[in-house]
Amino acid sequence: MTSKKVVLPIIVLSQFCCTSLWFVGNAIIGDLVINFNLNPSALGDLTAAIQLGFIIGTFIFAMFTIADWFSPSKVFFVSAIVASLFNVLIVYGSQTLLSLIILRFLTGFFLAGIYPVGMKIASDYFEKGLGKSLSFLVGALVLGTAFPHILKGAPGLFFWKHLLYFTSVLAVLGGILVVFFVPDGPFKKTLQKFDVAICYNVFKIKKFRNAAFGYFGHMWELYAFWVFVPVLLKAYSNFHDATNINVSLYSFYVIAIGSLGCVVSGYLSQRYSNKKVAGMALALSCMCCVVSPLFFILNSEITFVIFLMFWGMVVIADSPLFSTLIAQSVVSESKGTALTIVNSIGFAITIVSIQLLNYMQTVVEVKYLFLALAIGPLIGLYSLYKKN
């Protein structure tokens, strides 16, 4: 029996390894465009594909209550193996935009058995201090998301095909660690019967609705921000003639520092309420959306990058706390399904915001691009604090 003290580090490491699959396509988009003769706008299409795969995957996982019906560790393992396979298949053959979209879609589909299922595993082990535990878990997601950017940003270290091989091997390692060293937790309760109604019955719970819609507002901003950070950095470099900006490396810094934001919010949640800390992070990220054009205009590379790094911290800091509020608002038997259905809807929202920004960059100046993201945090704050 694995000691409870090492369970969380194992889950965190596994989550990091597996979620490195998520944005590897974004990190190598330039190479894919050149090697497969794609249009530069393929970034939005491939990002939407993996998001859509995750959405449909989480919806199916939730509808069939997979994380509550089967052993979540085994679900995590199988999902990691299959997702890594579809990731590495990009290397083989002469890919087209359609085949790449299909492969990224299938990778995203099986990521549905990793991210929310990892949170389910953690909730089965840690009833007390769940906010802090999930903060480390979401922090691992952030690092995994950012990791391909730093590998790509290191000159001469990774050829684009090697990056795909490496992230797939990491995902397999993550799955093996969970299935062999993290058995079902002491607080896990298996469903006694298949019940598809759980997916919509949870929305009858007021606390669940408040937390879920707060999370949806947060998701409107989060992935669109992550996807377009490289676009904003490149535009800033061109606007100010700042030729020293390493877009891949700075993108890593901006996204990866969110893991620190998650850990800080997790510790703050032990002193203050999860709701209060989540609301503060959401308000700060909303403020960043509104003032972003002002920092873009400033001819100070250091100030601009520091601003983006602060934004990178607060834009994700509320995520583990919303997941905690969601998990605590439902009975134990429904935690996995509740977390999964909320993830499904939340990531569906990211497709809308990503595609909106993808369109907006063709009709407005890039410096005004992120103003549209403020809509999400405003709606999230209203939902989190509304009385009825």
Side-chain angles (χ1 to χ4, degrees), residues 125-322:
Y125 272 91
F126 304 94
E127 282 200 327
K128 292 183 178 179
L130 181 59
K132 188 178 80 169
S133 300
L134 291 187
S135 73
F136 283 100
L137 207 60
V138 177
L141 164 71
V142 176
L143 283 179
T145 299
F147 192 53
H149 284 292
I150 195 171
L151 294 180
K152 181 62 179 173
L157 182 61
F158 277 95
F159 182 53
W160 68 274
K161 291 184 178 181
H162 298 156
L163 198 55
L164 290 165
Y165 287 127
F166 187 66
T167 51
S168 287
V169 169
L170 278 181
V172 171
L173 174 63
I176 290 172
L177 285 173
V178 166
V179 79
F180 281 105
F181 298 106
V182 185
D184 292 343
F187 300 110
K188 181 185 183 299
K189 293 183 180 179
T190 304
L191 283 174
Q192 298 303 308
K193 62 178 181 177
F194 173 72
D195 187 4
V196 72
I198 291 174
C199 287
Y200 60 84
N201 282 340
V202 289
F203 282 95
K204 296 177 181 178
I205 304 168
K206 178 179 176 294
K207 287 185 177 179
F208 176 87
R209 288 198 308 273
N210 289 355
F213 282 90
Y215 176 79
F216 298 154
H218 148 79
M219 289 297 284
W220 170 268
E221 177 191 13
L222 177 63
Y223 273 82
F225 173 74
W226 279 352
V227 168
F228 283 90
V229 159
V231 174
L232 193 65
L233 284 167
K234 187 174 181 180
Y236 182 88
S237 178
N238 294 336
F239 186 78
H240 293 286
D241 234 2
T243 55
N244 292 327
I245 286 184
N246 184 326
V247 173
S248 290
L249 197 59
Y250 281 10
S251 296
F252 169 78
Y253 293 149
V254 171
I255 297 172
I257 200 169
S259 59
L260 176 61
C262 289
V263 172
V264 170
S265 70
Y267 278 102
L268 287 174
S269 70
Q270 294 188 301
R271 182 169 182 178
Y272 307 99
S273 70
N274 291 309
K275 183 177 178 179
K276 184 177 290 185
V277 179
M280 179 61 69
L282 203 55
L284 288 172
S285 62
C286 182
M287 180 191 70
C288 290
C289 295
V290 174
V291 302
S292 58
L294 301 178
F295 281 89
F296 187 93
I297 293 169
L298 287 176
N299 189 14
S300 171
E301 178 184 328
I302 294 175
T303 302
F304 184 62
V305 172
I306 289 174
F307 165 69
L308 287 181
M309 290 178 69
F310 173 77
W311 196 353
M313 286 183 64
V314 297
V315 75
I316 186 66
D318 48 358
S319 191
L321 306 183
F322 279 124

Side-chain angles (χ1 to χ4, degrees), residues 21-22 32 34 57 87 105 114 130 161 176 184 204 244 247 295 304 345 347 370 372 376 388:
L21 301 175
W22 213 309
L32 297 179
I34 293 169
N87 180 65
F105 173 88
I114 293 169
L130 181 59
K161 291 184 178 181
I176 290 172
D184 292 343
K204 296 177 181 178
N244 292 327
V247 173
F295 281 89
F304 184 62
I345 297 171
F347 278 84
F370 287 174
N388 299 313

